[in-house]
Amino acid sequence: MSTANNELPFHITLRVRDTCLCLHLQQAARAVARRFDAALRPLGLTNGQFSLLMSLNRPEAASIGGVSTLLAMDRTTLTANLKPLERRGLLRVSLDDIDRRSRRLTLTPAGRALLVAALPVWEHEHATIDGVLGEVAPDRLRADLRALC
């Protein structure tokens, strides 16, 4: 839509504000992230760090590529997020035994213990958010959000 003076009418701004999926998803993501950050703060974790550590809770060491795909995060950002957790002794970055150019990620015993302590906090906050959703079926919402990925 164009106007004679190349300005958008204010009603367009209101329509975008009220209908933009990207905006509403960003607002919801930030609000949920703040809630989990506050809940996990006493454990010295952010919601992103919790998700990263949880992604490493597996029987075999994870590849950086696999974790970056799971978390929808580019490798550079993932590597930057790994460093403070590695310094805290929560995870270990090692060379892949087969491909020495690749790195593998594993939780340390301290990282596993922190996840054990964090899980009840996560479960409580998760249940609270599910309750806030009320009429919205949380499983349907999760499925709908996954469809966008």
Side-chain angles (χ1 to χ4, degrees):
M1 169 184 213
S2 67
T3 61
N5 57 6
N6 281 336
E7 289 187 25
L8 291 173
F10 185 60
H11 72 89
I12 299 296
T13 301
L14 296 176
R15 180 171 58 92
V16 171
R17 179 199 68 192
D18 294 343
T19 63
C20 181
L21 286 173
C22 186
L23 173 63
H24 292 132
L25 286 168
Q26 288 171 337
Q27 289 172 329
R30 288 181 185 118
V32 170
R34 282 191 300 271
R35 290 181 72 131
F36 278 99
D37 282 345
L40 293 166
R41 189 171 295 120
L43 297 169
L45 285 176
T46 66
N47 77 85
Q49 291 170 330
F50 173 82
S51 295
L52 199 163
L53 290 173
M54 190 58 76
S55 76
L56 302 181
N57 186 42
R58 53 177 79 196
E60 302 291 325
S63 70
I64 287 182
V67 172
S68 77
T69 299
L70 174 70
L71 298 177
M73 183 183 289
D74 64 76
R75 290 173 188 237
T76 303
T77 303
L78 174 60
T79 299
N81 283 290
L82 291 169
K83 291 180 191 283
L85 298 172
E86 185 180 20
R87 281 192 299 270
R88 285 178 62 187
L90 302 174
L91 62 87
R92 185 174 46 257
V93 180
S94 58
L95 293 175
D96 186 292
D97 290 337
I98 297 169
D99 182 354
R100 306 298 281 172
R101 297 169 299 169
S102 297
R103 302 284 183 265
R104 291 287 175 169
L105 309 171
T106 53
L107 284 174
T108 63
R112 290 186 187 285
L114 184 55
L115 277 181
V116 167
L119 185 62
V121 173
W122 177 87
E123 287 174 327
H124 178 267
E125 193 59 31
H126 209 274
T128 301
I129 291 171
D130 279 356
V132 167
L133 292 174
E135 295 293 318
V136 176
D139 289 335
R140 172 64 192 263
L141 177 59
R142 283 185 273 278
D144 290 346
L145 291 172
R146 279 192 298 272
L148 296 174
C149 299

